[in-house]
């Protein structure tokens, strides 16, 4: 964690979620919200725009999370957005998830796949990563249709690209 403010917010979010006793649920909900911000330019710019009144930005958060997330998650997202840190929310959530996984002596593997993975697939992938890297990991799946098939796995700075897209690109290069 390079940015001390991001690390500070992540630590605060972790402390609150742990104290509320629903760390795993909050972790999943925050991960999903951060992915929504990453993939939606309009949402990201609206929540991060200092010219949009804070009350309106918080109403957007409430509308998006109402009935979709726990009160803890809604409060944590509102805290970050209300503090004018919405642009940092994905990085804060990444740091929060790393902190949370570290509390369980695990690393986080972010897996991009065209489709969601079943519990069995997640478990087999975690076991394969442990065998190859020696790290116990928790799998976080990002649905990315551009992957086409297979998966792209990121563990820290390491990227393992087993996607159909990469294979097609390699095949295309071999024909040149």
């Amino acid at each position: 964690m390079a940015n001390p403010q991001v690390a500070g917010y992540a630590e605060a979010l972790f402390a609150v979620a742990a104290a509320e006793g629903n760390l795993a649920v909050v972790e999943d909900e925050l991960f999903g919200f951060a992915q929504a911000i990453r993939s939606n330019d309009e949402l990201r710019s609206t929540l991060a725009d200092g010219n949009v009144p804070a009350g309106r930005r918080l109403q957007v958060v409430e509308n998006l999370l109402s009935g979709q997330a726990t009160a803890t998650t809604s409060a944590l997202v509102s805290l970050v957005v209300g503090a004018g840190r919405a642009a940092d929310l994905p990085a804060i959530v990444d740091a929060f998830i790393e902190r949370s996984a570290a509390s369980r002596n695990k690393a986080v593997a972010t897996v991009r796949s065209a489709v969601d993975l079943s519990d069995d697939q997640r478990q087999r992938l975690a076991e394969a990563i442990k065998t190859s890297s020696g790290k116990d990991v928790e799998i976080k799946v990002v649905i990315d249709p551009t992957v086409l098939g297979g998966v792209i796995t990121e563990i820290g700075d390491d990227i393992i690209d087993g996607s159909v897209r990469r294979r097609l690109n390699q095949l295309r290069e071999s024909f040149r």
Side-chain angles (χ1 to χ4, degrees):
M1 285 185 253
N3 183 330
Q5 290 180 326
V6 167
Y9 273 98
E11 192 64 32
L13 268 56
F14 175 79
V16 170
E20 292 291 324
N22 53 3
L23 189 57
V25 172
V26 170
E27 189 179 318
D28 286 342
E29 291 172 348
L30 286 175
F31 181 77
F33 194 79
Q35 293 308 311
I37 288 177
R38 282 187 170 109
S39 65
N40 188 318
D41 293 339
E42 186 177 349
L43 175 60
R44 183 176 48 251
S45 65
T46 298
L47 293 180
D49 188 347
N51 293 321
V52 175
R56 185 164 178 215
R57 287 182 276 142
L58 293 174
Q59 186 63 51
V60 169
V61 169
E62 186 176 320
N63 291 344
L64 290 172
L65 295 178
S66 179
Q68 304 295 317
T70 62
T72 303
T73 299
S74 295
L76 293 175
V77 171
S78 294
L79 170 79
V80 174
V81 171
R85 309 296 301 190
D88 294 329
L89 187 58
I92 291 168
V93 170
D94 288 348
F96 164 81
I97 289 172
E98 288 177 18
R99 171 67 177 92
S100 182
S103 74
R104 296 182 291 274
N105 294 319
K106 293 187 175 186
V108 176
T110 302
V111 177
R112 295 190 175 284
S113 172
V115 296
D116 198 7
L117 302 179
S118 69
D119 289 342
D120 181 56
Q121 290 170 317
R122 289 173 192 238
Q123 184 177 356
R124 288 186 297 151
L125 183 58
E127 289 170 3
I129 291 169
K130 183 177 181 177
T131 299
S132 68
S133 70
K135 296 178 183 176
D136 280 324
V137 295
E138 293 182 2
I139 305 292
K140 296 290 183 191
V141 177
V142 176
I143 307 299
D144 182 355
T146 66
V147 173
L148 302 178
V151 296
I152 300 171
T153 304
E154 297 176 39
I155 309 167
D157 293 333
D158 297 327
I159 298 174
I160 304 166
D161 190 345
S163 69
V164 170
R165 180 180 62 196
R166 183 182 68 92
R167 292 181 192 144
L168 289 173
N169 287 339
Q170 288 175 331
L171 186 61
R172 184 178 308 124
E173 290 298 318
S174 70
F175 287 128
R176 288 185 181 187

